[in-house]
Amino acid sequence: MKLSAHSLNLSFGEKQILKNINIDFIKNQVISLIGPSGCGKSTLLRSFNRMHDLSPDAHVKGTLKLDNLDLYDKNISVTEIRKRIGMVFQKPNPLPKSIYENLSYGLNIHEFPKNEIPDLIEKALKESYLWDEVKDELKKPAVKLSGGQQQRLCIARTVVLRPEVILMDEPCSALDPISTGKIEELIMSLKKDYTIVIVTHNMQQAQRISDKVAFMYLGEVIEFDSTENVFKNPQQELTRNYVGGHFG
């Protein structure tokens, strides 16, 4: 298993958000986390690259692993974890720098050899289907790009560090259908090199891009199976009601 959570319980103060999560993600697959708002999808996603370290009232119990590495081992640097497990957020968040500097920033922090940086940036932009659109404008401020281009730049900023896993928290929710289509095509092409876990509210999107789907409800994983089984032959009544649109 590439990424796993066993007996994961997570609370903020007195409020428990995740309840006894046991889930394994296989290498080079796209896994979608679906479920109603507030069910714990993003909380689970963010637990894998220790985003909750930033919340003083967050309490994490259980085991989270990348391969055999315990992600919450006190001797492991969070910076190293976030290099190996990248994150793309709901809203594009380019740095207030040039397109080139958005990508070189992380490479410099992680002390990649200076002479390799231009080639790594070109490769990441090509992988993110952005190179042909920006190759002559790398000094342009990233915030001048369209929303869809900004999100692809944020994906390029993640892949430039050559992570093993990419976490995506509703990466298309702020985008138009054409930009969404480009991001979905990009996700499908990236899975040959990365394991991708994505939170999405879009049922059609989950069906289009996922190898497996986890349906969550009230902080628990109710069902985790192949995309086809979850949508066409769900085993749990809650899942059946949710994917069938008979929820609430």
Side-chain angles (χ1 to χ4, degrees), residues 8-195:
L8 172 62
N9 289 275
L10 189 148
S11 55
F12 293 108
E14 298 295 309
K15 184 169 178 150
Q16 186 168 358
I17 307 297
L18 298 178
K19 302 165 189 170
N20 199 37
I21 301 281
N22 292 286
I23 199 160
D24 296 307
F25 301 135
I26 295 173
K27 185 177 180 181
N28 301 116
Q29 286 194 340
V30 177
I31 302 99
S32 286
L33 307 180
I34 65 169
S37 295
C39 70
K41 303 182 298 295
S42 293
T43 304
L44 173 59
L45 193 78
R46 289 162 181 251
S47 65
F48 284 113
N49 73 341
R50 294 191 38 183
M51 293 292 289
H52 301 305
D53 286 18
L54 304 170
S55 304
D57 62 342
H59 301 289
V60 181
K61 292 180 180 173
T63 307
L64 292 104
K65 287 189 171 181
L66 174 67
D67 295 326
N68 291 316
L69 175 72
D70 181 349
L71 294 171
Y72 282 77
D73 185 326
K74 295 287 187 284
N75 299 314
I76 304 292
S77 136
V78 175
T79 306
E80 180 60 27
I81 286 170
R82 291 182 188 154
K83 177 174 176 280
R84 295 178 67 182
I85 303 178
M87 180 104 191
V88 176
F89 295 93
Q90 184 171 359
K91 201 170 170 201
N93 58 344
L95 301 170
K97 297 173 179 286
S98 71
I99 293 168
Y100 188 92
E101 288 169 319
N102 262 268
L103 297 171
S104 64
Y105 184 78
L107 293 170
N108 287 323
I109 286 178
H110 291 286
E111 299 181 341
F112 279 71
K114 291 272 189 270
N115 62 322
E116 293 179 13
I117 287 178
D119 286 343
L120 287 167
I121 287 175
E122 181 176 339
K123 183 178 182 186
L125 287 169
K126 283 178 174 172
E127 282 185 321
S128 304
Y129 296 174
L130 200 53
W131 175 252
D132 288 340
E133 296 168 44
V134 303
K135 63 185 176 187
D136 300 321
E137 302 180 308
L138 295 178
K139 292 182 179 175
K140 176 179 171 178
V143 293
K144 294 283 180 71
L145 295 170
S146 72
Q149 288 175 321
Q150 286 185 24
Q151 192 65 301
R152 279 182 281 148
L153 179 67
C154 292
I155 294 171
R157 195 174 64 196
T158 301
V159 303
V160 79
L161 297 175
R162 317 318 298 169
E164 297 161 53
V165 175
I166 302 175
L167 308 174
M168 296 185 167
D169 195 354
E170 292 191 66
C172 303
S173 67
L175 304 180
D176 63 84
I178 291 172
S179 298
T180 295
K182 286 184 178 177
I183 299 286
E184 288 181 4
E185 189 182 341
L186 169 55
I187 290 168
M188 300 287 281
S189 77
L190 288 174
K191 81 171 179 179
K192 68 181 184 299
D193 296 313
Y194 307 96
T195 302

